Amino acid sequence: MKRVSFYALVWLVVLWCLAPFLWQIVTSLKTNAEIAALPVTYIPRHAGLEHYDALFTRKPFARYLLNSFVISGTSTILCVGLSALAAYAVSRLRMRGSRLMLAALVVISLFPPIIFFFPLYEMMRAAGLLNHPLALIIPYTTFNLPFSIIVLATFFRGVPRDIEDAAKVDGLGRLQILWRIILPLSTPALATTAILVFIFAWNEFLFALTFMTNDRAKTITAGIATLSGTTVHETPWGPIAAAVVVSTIPLILLVAIFQRRIVQGLIAGAAKG
Amino acid sequence: MAKVSLQHVYKIYRGEKGGDVTAVHDVNFEVADREFVVLVGPSGCGKSTTLRMVAGLEQISEGDIYIDELRVNDVAPKDRDIAMVFQNYALYPHMSVYDNLAFGLKLRKFPKAEIKKRVTDAAGILGIEKLLERKPRALSGGQRQRVAVGRAIVRRPKVFLFDEPLSNLDAKMRVQMRAEITKLHQRLQATMIYVTHDQVEAMTMGDRIVVMNNGVVQQIDTPLKLYNEPTNLFVAGFLGSPSMNFVNGTLKIDNGAIEFTELQGGAIKLRLEASEHFREFSGKPVLLGIRPEDIELAQFAATNERSTSSFPAIVDIVEPMGAETNLYLQTGAHTVVCRSQKALEHREAGRRFQFDINLEKAHLFDPATGARIV
């Protein structure tokens, strides 16, 4: 009995969290008339894919997706790569002021990105980078560096020092130790940071909307926002719902793939206990 | 194979405001070719730091370390031709046992066939042939330590370094691995330096033992020399279990003989043969050092009037060990441990017995310096 109520509770929570997304799926499958119809229907009477079709024919939606992939992917790789190097230095090399540096990183990450908005816009304009993927890649990477460094540095510290010493005796240099020993052992942390950075970049809206004015350069979030109905007064609920579904699916796949990596406790067996 | 030589080696950790800590102080010793030398001492005595300086994992603050004729102070660990076994095994968790063993050879660009041969040989020696495909996490502690030893063997280094390799194993496994490492040393005829805090490991494994305390070498000698002729109180007290008894007393010269009297009315009074050695200690406090096995119940002691001296004591605690018995004696001023060859039962506790001290095995120490007088 206890078990049943426990599972019921779990399912309730899951349903509560997923409800908005499920509603988007349902809406995206309905016809315009049915979306506006009262009373509300929970199961579409005439399910169809015309909204999805519209996305790709009336708007360069594939292009948005591609832009998002390029920008989020590059930001993720850059951010994880740079923060891995920095985190290793902070956690292992005996440097003056490495503690101060970590503290500074925490403070920096407390600033809301919005305060960098105008300076960044001016910088990107001066550099001629507006409408170029770099205009978003650079800020996305930078904003996520503090957090990634902190997460990775914490994890790197947990790798037993003896393993590194053994690697030194076996003949590895510093960078080789990072690449061949530390990083393989840190896949859970790497996967976690990578996912979070990717999601941040994928979902970021404000910079994407303003730095990318050209329709061909837009990312998916900005693209969804610029979907418009046939008149100013009509909000295109159907296409928006379809766009939300399409843009969320890659994230779900990504998390599902990396989830297994995160769960695998690779450190086990390295040392006693 | 090779010899290792440490000359006036220091390790000094520079503190922030001049608060330097000297972890290793003027260490000098030489490890001969094919010798098994054990560094032993309590934790924090600098033995591991010394070993890590030989390995190249710690900078040498002052002094020189030579492997054969080469000064290795500024040589990277990988170029010193040493292999090290760590206390925590330090296996690469993401690699199979085979890859763990082969890793060092692969980095040194050995041909595949040679790597395979060496790994198979080492696995055979250590009895881990069946584990080669496994990951370290699927191994028991003893198996992991075997792999760690194997990783050293395949390299065929000039010098093997062991840093408390058995400390993480359970007692039974430790005894077994101890014997295996000794056998391995005989088989490989390699130069080995072995660090441990366990005096039993030191005594049973080392050709010679370096006893360290507070960063300073106390004595370097063969196990039996150390046991029978410790240079100071520290070495005397560190080796042996139960450890040596120390009895406070004074010396008095009387009619050409030397008399030791236990302080505070204790029961122990000894007459020692006079020697010039003692003259300067006449009337001064000294410490009598006597090992538990050199005290025996008078009724069972080998009767040798000249070399034994007897005293009465109350038995506080009886610890039957089977073959022998540990007795905790109350002399009046000290508690003294006696390891009797006679099997006694617990109920003998509280009784008064006469005990004999084997004077030939007794030591006297200067309490001021800790040095052994005789």
Side-chain angles (χ1 to χ4, degrees), chain A residues 94 96 162-163 165-173 176 180-181 184-185 265-273, chain B residues 52 57-58 77-78 82-84 86-95 103-104 107-108 136-137 144 151 155 168:
Chain A
R94 280 185 207 136
R96 273 183 186 282
D162 275 358
I163 293 183
D165 286 338
K168 272 187 217 163
V169 173
D170 262 346
L172 290 185
Q176 284 176 306
R180 300 186 67 162
I181 308 291
L185 292 182
L266 265 172
I267 286 292
K272 185 180 170 80
Chain B
R52 289 171 62 83
L57 296 171
E58 297 277 354
K78 64 185 165 95
I82 47 120
M84 188 153 169
F86 296 85
Q87 179 179 352
N88 291 323
Y89 324 131
L91 302 178
Y92 308 123
H94 54 303
M95 299 182 194
F103 194 60
L107 289 176
R108 284 173 175 72
R137 67 172 168 273
R144 286 181 203 174
R151 193 165 57 178
R155 294 258 318 279
N168 279 349

Side-chain angles (χ1 to χ4, degrees), chain A residues 195 199 249-262:
Chain A
I195 286 178
I199 291 175
I249 284 170
L251 287 186
I252 294 173
L253 286 178
L254 189 81
V255 173
I257 292 166
F258 279 97
Q259 190 74 26
R260 293 173 62 194
R261 283 264 156 203
I262 298 173

Side-chain angles (χ1 to χ4, degrees), chain B residues 138-176:
Chain B
L139 303 179
S140 70
Q143 290 169 331
R144 286 181 203 174
Q145 198 51 281
R146 266 168 232 260
V147 176
V149 173
R151 193 165 57 178
I153 295 178
V154 292
R155 294 258 318 279
R156 295 184 192 160
K158 280 184 174 171
V159 186
F160 285 83
L161 306 174
F162 295 88
D163 190 3
E164 308 220 16
L166 308 184
S167 303
N168 279 349
L169 302 177
D170 60 54
K172 198 175 160 201
M173 201 66 213
R174 204 176 306 161
V175 173
Q176 191 186 335

Side-chain angles (χ1 to χ4, degrees), chain B residues 244-265:
Chain B
M244 189 185 276
N245 297 299
F246 295 112
V247 179
N248 283 299
T250 48
L251 279 189
K252 205 173 78 191
I253 300 192
D254 176 40
N255 282 343
I258 305 290
E259 196 153 286
F260 172 87
T261 313
E262 189 180 357
L263 280 187
Q264 290 152 357

Side-chain angles (χ1 to χ4, degrees), chain B residues 34 54 73 84 128 136 157 195-196 198 215 223 238 253 281 312-313 338 365:
Chain B
R34 300 173 186 193
V54 175
N73 286 38
M84 188 153 169
I128 51 172
V195 162
T196 179
D198 180 353
F238 189 76
I253 300 192
F281 289 97
C338 155
F365 297 92

